Amino acid sequence: SLERYSTEIRKIFTPKEAHRILVQKEIDEVRKKDSILVGVHIRRGDYKSFENGKWYYEDGVYFRNMKKIQEIFNQNGKQCSFFITSNEQIYLENFFGLTIFWKERHFITDLYSLAECDYIIGPPSTYSLWATWYGAVPLFHIEHPECIVKEKDIPQPILFS
C-alpha cells in the first residue's frame, strides 16, 4: 500500500513552509556549481554504540566513496558536488579535492535536502531511506568500511542524462 498511497503519504509528511523555503535555498545555492548533486549522509552520534558501531565510519570511508563517485562521473563527462548531512561536526579538510557543501542545519532541512539530491550514499539508516523514498532518489548503502561504490551502483539515467 505504500506505493499505492505514496502521493498522499508525501503530502502528509511535507515539511512546513519555513523548512521548505530553507531546503529550496540550500539546493538552489549548490545546484549552481555542478551538474550532479550527491547527498552524503554521515551518521555518527548513536551509531558509535548502535550494533557495536557496525555502521559508524570514519571520514576516510566516506571520502573513498566520494572520490570514486567523482571519478565515475568525470569519466562520463559530468561534474558532481557533495551535499553532506550529519549529526556531528564535519571537518572539510578531510574531504580535500572534492566540492563539498556542509553546514550545521536543522535535521528536517538536512533530511529534505537529501531528498532533493540526484543520488545518496550513507550507512544503512532509516534517515537516508526516508530521503530516498520521499524524493525518489537512488541510494547506495555503505554496508561495511571496505565497501566502495561501483559504476553499476549508479543508475544510468544519472550517468547519461
Side-chain angles (χ1 to χ4, degrees), residues 11-49:
K11 283 180 187 175
I12 292 168
F13 288 100
T14 296
K16 293 180 180 180
E17 184 178 11
H19 287 293
R20 290 194 318 266
I21 290 168
L22 287 173
V23 167
Q24 197 59 57
K25 182 180 174 200
E26 292 288 330
I27 296 302
D28 286 349
E29 182 181 322
V30 299
R31 286 235 180 246
K32 293 176 188 173
K33 293 292 278 182
D34 293 310
S35 58
I36 302 294
L37 184 58
V38 178
V40 182
H41 177 212
I42 298 180
R43 177 78 180 257
R44 300 271 171 77
D46 63 328
Y47 263 31
K48 195 166 199 168
S49 59

Side-chain angles (χ1 to χ4, degrees), residues 65 68-69 72 119 121 140 147-151 153-154:
N65 277 283
K68 184 62 178 178
I69 289 168
I72 291 167
Y119 190 67
I121 66 168
F140 176 76
C147 192
I148 297 287
V149 66
K150 296 175 179 56
E151 186 167 347
D153 299 318
I154 300 173

Side-chain angles (χ1 to χ4, degrees), residues 70-110:
Q70 181 183 51
E71 176 186 311
I72 291 167
F73 282 122
N74 287 347
Q75 288 173 351
N76 286 281
K78 304 242 181 199
Q79 298 296 312
C80 67
S81 299
F82 297 92
F83 188 92
I84 296 179
T85 66
S86 184
N87 56 349
E88 284 192 4
Q89 173 73 34
I90 297 299
Y91 299 97
L92 297 179
E93 61 269 15
N94 293 340
F95 300 95
F96 182 78
L98 299 171
T99 303
I100 301 293
F101 296 96
W102 177 83
K103 64 182 172 185
E104 289 186 44
R105 301 178 201 87
H106 190 277
F107 71 93
I108 295 293
T109 305
D110 266 356

Side-chain angles (χ1 to χ4, degrees), residues 134-148:
Y134 186 87
V137 178
L139 168 67
F140 176 76
H141 272 149
I142 303 171
E143 297 281 349
H144 54 81
E146 294 78 34
C147 192
I148 297 287

